[in-house]
Amino acid sequence: MAMNNKRRKLEGVDIPPKAPASPATPVMSAFAARQQLWGAPLPVAKTPVNKNPTPAQKDSTPAKTIPTRRNKRGAAKEQVSTPVNEDPTPDLNRERGDSIPPSPILSPVLGTLIPPVVRERQPQYSSLKPHKKNYQQKPDGCVALRTPDGERLVILGSYGIGVHQGEATIAGAQLTPLDPVQWIHAPHCHALPVLRTSEDTVVELHPHPAADGLRQLAKLNPAFGKLWNEVPTQGVPSKKDSTFQILFSPEDVPKKVALQELVSPPEWNKKLASLIATKRKGASSPIFFLCGPKSSGKSTFGKLLANRLITDRAGNKNAPWSPIYILDIDPGQPEFGPPGVISLVKLTSPNLQPPFCHPTLEPVTSMIRSHAIAAVTPALDPEHFIECVMDLFTTYQTQTHPGEEKKPPMVVNTPGWIQGLGLDILSDLIKGIKPTEVVYMSTEGPEETISGLQAAISFIPTTAFSTLPSQNTTEILSPSRIPSSLRTMQAMSYFHLLPSLSTWNSTPLSHCPPWRVRYTGPDRGFRGILCYDYQPSPRILAEAINGMVLALVKISNLAALRGLDNIIEAGSGKMPLIDNPMGKSLDPKFSELVGLVLVRGVDERRGELQLLTPVGMGGVEKGEGRLVLVMGKFDTPSWCYKEMEVPWIQRLHGSQNRGAGGKVWRVRRDLGRS
């Protein structure tokens, strides 16, 4: 290179001046790179001292050096220079105790900015600081709480709330000393309701009498295990067998649990206040129609609205609670009833528990009427679904309420099917019900759904339309519980429920005595078996229904059969099959659901069906031709095959019932064989 420059100089070629050498870029070690990627503070290199400063540099603001601590070996760490005239404005985040968001980091390897890892502040669940004056543990397990300043309490488990002084709110319900004790089931697989008290309030928490029966189901299915209070609260006296636990800090939360609180966004609170005002001012009974995508918070908002409507006293503190009606028409995730069923429910007290904790209600006072869709989606028979919903709505219109000026309000909770045929179903229901207001639980569309709903409402001048933001799925449901698993829990809870005792039976179903129902002869217990959508071959009917869930439907008139008069004696046991080659459904005007049954076994020799059901004998009227068993597309009850200490798993030895080979486990659906 030197020879080339010398030759070019001799030839008269101008040579540009050599640029000054730039300082070498410091090499970052692997440890320092990891620390920078993790967001940890790194030492700042010393700034070299300029011995010949320019006039501008002389006039610049001097820097103040802040020494740091010495390390364990006594060596001084690097010093960091900070300007003296730094903005003295305090950081509001730092004053609140929140962590300051770090800046993006430049990756030394990739050469791109990496978003920092924000370390969130540890949540504090309950604001109450327990001490002798505000927290009292009684010998019977009750806990008395005094809140002079008003507090918020997050409680895990099963408990009752009694207000002795002041006011309290939980899940939209407003409680006063005039109200009876309200019983709550709060497992962590659902968002926990927050108990908020006003100033100078005294509340008492009671152990739940039915808590043990519900927890015993964990012996049969692990889905019911580890849902409740299992970790004692730090520094708070409590009984070992307590059914609830107040959560004060993250140390009180069970391990490996993503705990969520029941949150009502500000837009929801504003809409709730508006709907309550509509109830007070309206001359007629308001009907609120809730719709939206799946997991958008329809059920959560509907529960908050229902509790507010029930406990709203319209300014009169001495007024009693007012009942409301719930039209529960989501067969996939019903609030009151097993999966595959829609119902009309009358509520006289707040709903403060998840669906699997009340899979059925009293048939006279609460469950007004119900129908079996026999599937978890309206897609099985959309026309039949609409007929069933309109029959329930007609039942609501015919309800009488002596002494009341107007009919109680009604809340309609719809399925999450909002596009295509699902949108057509919602539009037809809106035109038939003519609600006071349609609330769509999403502000993000789809646009065709919103325009379709608005088009349906345009024919009803008295119906309003509004949208609300969806609630985050993680704020409603634990990520460990998906809808199918919740349906399993609800179905299992339904069949193990003892309605007369308001508790659960943890005995395996194989040990429970079944109903023995004759299906042959003149005195048979039901008219026949009707198959929705698909009818199997008559010769395999017994195998098709054995171990499956059926709907027990009572008909008031033969017109409910829609002309299906042909009964086939199916199979060697001559089981009565109502011939339905066109896939017709029962007319809901002349039929209603009694309950679901689980076929435990088929005794062809005696001509009997062995049925398991939580329905009492009082709900079944004897008489030929009044009952029909409906087979549809209910979820396969695989949960009952897995229950412990049951003979539904058979060990085959050697070549028994199979070719020679290794040991095999075979799962049977024959629940009646030993």
Side-chain angles (χ1 to χ4, degrees):
M1 180 66 68
M3 293 297 297
N4 292 337
N5 290 341
K6 185 176 181 180
R7 181 177 300 174
R8 295 172 63 187
K9 186 175 181 180
L10 293 176
E11 294 176 356
V13 180
D14 295 335
I15 302 176
K18 185 177 181 181
S22 60
T25 303
V27 179
M28 182 178 294
S29 64
F31 173 77
R34 287 195 299 269
Q35 291 294 100
Q36 187 174 12
L37 290 176
W38 292 340
L42 290 176
V44 179
K46 293 182 179 179
T47 304
V49 179
N50 189 0
K51 297 182 179 180
N52 299 315
T54 63
Q57 293 175 344
K58 291 181 180 180
D59 297 337
S60 61
T61 303
K64 179 179 65 175
T65 302
I66 302 177
T68 59
R69 302 182 192 176
R70 294 179 175 271
N71 56 22
K72 294 182 179 180
R73 298 183 180 180
K77 294 184 177 180
E78 298 291 347
Q79 297 177 346
V80 180
S81 298
T82 57
V84 174
N85 60 342
E86 188 177 2
D87 185 8
T89 305
D91 193 326
L92 298 181
N93 290 333
R94 186 180 296 274
E95 287 185 349
R96 291 197 303 262
D98 300 336
S99 59
I100 302 176
S103 303
I105 305 168
L106 179 62
S107 172
V109 179
L110 303 177
T112 58
L113 291 177
I114 300 177
V117 178
V118 180
R119 300 177 181 177
E120 298 181 355
R121 184 179 56 176
Q122 292 292 341
Q124 298 294 328
Y125 297 101
S126 299
S127 61
L128 179 69
K129 304 300 181 183
H131 51 77
K132 294 182 179 180
K133 293 184 179 181
N134 63 5
Y135 187 98
Q136 181 183 1
Q137 176 77 45
K138 297 184 178 181
D140 59 353
C142 297
V143 176
L145 302 173
R146 295 180 178 273
T147 59
D149 302 326
E151 305 287 351
R152 72 188 304 271
L153 298 167
V154 181
I155 307 173
L156 175 65
S158 305
Y159 56 97
I161 298 178
V163 179
H164 297 280
Q165 178 181 324
E167 294 181 356
T169 61
I170 182 169
Q174 302 173 354
L175 307 179
T176 66
L178 298 177
D179 305 325
V181 175
Q182 298 301 303
W183 299 103
I184 302 172
H185 288 293
H188 61 67
C189 61
H190 286 72
L192 300 184
V194 180
L195 175 64
R196 291 179 171 85
T197 63
S198 61
E199 296 181 355
D200 299 326
T201 297
V202 178
V203 299
E204 190 173 44
L205 305 180
H206 301 263
H208 203 301
D212 184 66
L214 188 57
R215 286 159 172 75
Q216 291 298 321
L217 295 180
K219 298 180 180 179
L220 305 176
N221 194 320
F224 288 89
K226 299 181 179 180
L227 297 179
W228 315 96
N229 51 304
E230 299 165 355
V231 180
T233 302
Q234 300 292 331
V236 177
S238 61
K239 298 183 66 177
K240 294 182 179 180
D241 55 349
S242 178
T243 64
F244 63 91
Q245 173 190 2
I246 303 177
L247 304 179
F248 295 100
S249 65
E251 288 74 15
D252 303 330
V253 180
K255 296 181 179 179
K256 299 180 180 180
V257 171
L259 197 66
Q260 299 291 343
E261 298 178 6
L262 183 59
V263 178
S264 179
E267 297 86 352
W268 288 24
N269 295 332
K270 185 177 180 180
K271 175 54 65 174
L272 289 172
S274 173
L275 298 180
I276 295 298
T278 302
K279 172 203 169 185
R280 295 179 179 179
K281 299 178 181 178
S284 60
S285 303
I287 300 175
F288 305 115
F289 192 94
L290 309 181
C291 56
K294 296 180 180 179
S295 303
S296 60
K298 298 185 298 296
S299 299
T300 304
F301 182 80
K303 181 181 295 186
L304 296 174
L305 176 59
N307 293 342
R308 286 283 298 272
L309 291 171
I310 292 174
T311 59
D312 176 57
R313 291 182 165 89
N316 185 4
K317 295 184 178 181
N318 297 324
W321 286 345
S322 56
I324 69 165
Y325 287 89
I326 303 294
L327 190 54
D328 191 13
I329 58 175
D330 185 357
Q333 294 179 326
E335 181 69 30
F336 304 98
V341 174
I342 63 174
S343 55
L344 175 66
V345 176
K346 180 181 179 181
L347 289 184
T348 57
S349 60
N351 176 21
L352 301 174
Q353 46 195 347
F356 75 87
C357 296
H358 54 205
T360 186
L361 298 174
E362 298 178 7
V364 179
T365 59
S366 297
M367 187 67 69
I368 305 301
R369 189 177 178 89
S370 58
H371 292 298
I373 304 301
V376 297
T377 172
L380 178 66
D381 191 344
E383 294 182 359
H384 179 243
F385 175 77
I386 295 176
E387 288 180 344
C388 291
V389 173
M390 296 310 301
D391 177 74
L392 296 177
F393 176 67
T394 303
T395 304
Y396 162 74
Q397 291 180 312
T398 58
Q399 296 295 301
T400 59
H401 301 83
E404 297 184 7
E405 298 180 358
K406 55 183 180 180
K407 197 183 302 297
M410 184 174 69
V411 178
V412 184
N413 184 26
T414 61
W417 191 15
I418 60 171
Q419 291 182 305
L421 185 56
L423 177 59
D424 296 337
I425 293 175
L426 293 177
S427 300
D428 291 343
L429 294 180
I430 291 174
K431 295 176 183 178
I433 296 176
K434 297 180 175 61
T436 307
E437 183 165 349
V438 175
V439 181
Y440 185 71
M441 301 298 299
S442 177
T443 56
E444 300 178 357
E447 187 63 32
E448 59 271 16
T449 300
I450 296 179
S451 59
L453 295 176
Q454 292 175 338
I457 294 172
S458 63
F459 296 95
I460 313 171
T462 58
T463 299
F465 180 81
S466 60
T467 60
L468 288 177
S470 300
Q471 190 172 22
N472 191 349
T473 305
T474 58
E475 296 177 354
I476 306 174
L477 190 64
S478 170
S480 62
R481 296 294 189 274
I482 58 177
S484 60
S485 64
L486 292 178
R487 287 200 302 268
T488 296
M489 296 175 65
Q490 195 162 350
M492 182 176 175
S493 175
Y494 175 82
F495 281 100
H496 282 274
L497 185 66
L498 298 175
S500 59
L501 302 178
S502 299
T503 187
W504 286 262
N505 178 18
S506 59
T507 304
L509 295 181
S510 60
H511 291 57
C512 298
W515 288 5
R516 294 172 55 188
V517 182
R518 291 189 59 82
Y519 61 80
T520 59
D523 58 343
R524 63 176 183 260
F526 58 96
R527 182 177 182 86
I529 299 175
L530 179 64
C531 299
Y532 284 0
D533 184 59
Y534 169 74
Q535 178 174 300
S537 174
R539 61 185 180 84
I540 62 170
L541 179 62
E543 289 78 5
I545 67 172
N546 197 4
M548 301 300 290
V549 174
L550 307 181
L552 182 61
V553 180
K554 180 173 61 176
I555 61 176
S556 58
N557 193 302
L558 292 180
L561 298 175
R562 304 182 193 264
L564 300 176
D565 300 328
N566 185 23
I567 298 180
I568 303 174
E569 294 182 350
S572 58
K574 299 182 178 180
M575 189 177 300
L577 173 65
I578 301 177
D579 192 19
N580 187 19
M582 301 303 295
K584 295 182 179 180
S585 305
L586 293 175
D587 191 339
K589 297 179 182 178
F590 308 103
S591 62
E592 64 176 310
L593 177 70
V594 177
L596 300 186
V597 299
L598 176 61
V599 182
R600 185 176 184 265
V602 180
D603 191 341
E604 296 183 351
R605 183 175 60 86
R606 296 182 179 180
E608 294 179 349
L609 291 180
Q610 298 179 5
L611 305 179
L612 295 171
T613 179
V615 178
M617 292 301 298
V620 180
E621 296 181 6
K622 295 183 179 180
E624 180 183 356
R626 299 295 301 275
L627 299 176
V628 174
L629 288 175
V630 175
M631 176 184 177
K633 289 187 176 181
F634 291 102
D635 287 338
T636 302
S638 56
W639 51 267
C640 68
Y641 312 146
K642 301 176 183 178
E643 289 187 1
M644 301 175 61
E645 302 179 359
V646 294
W648 309 332
I649 298 180
Q650 180 183 12
R651 181 85 176 262
L652 302 181
H653 301 275
S655 60
Q656 179 185 0
N657 295 338
R658 62 181 296 275
K663 298 178 181 179
V664 177
W665 290 89
R666 182 175 121 192
V667 180
R668 305 197 323 244
R669 282 196 344 213
D670 183 3
L671 311 187
R673 291 173 54 187
S674 60

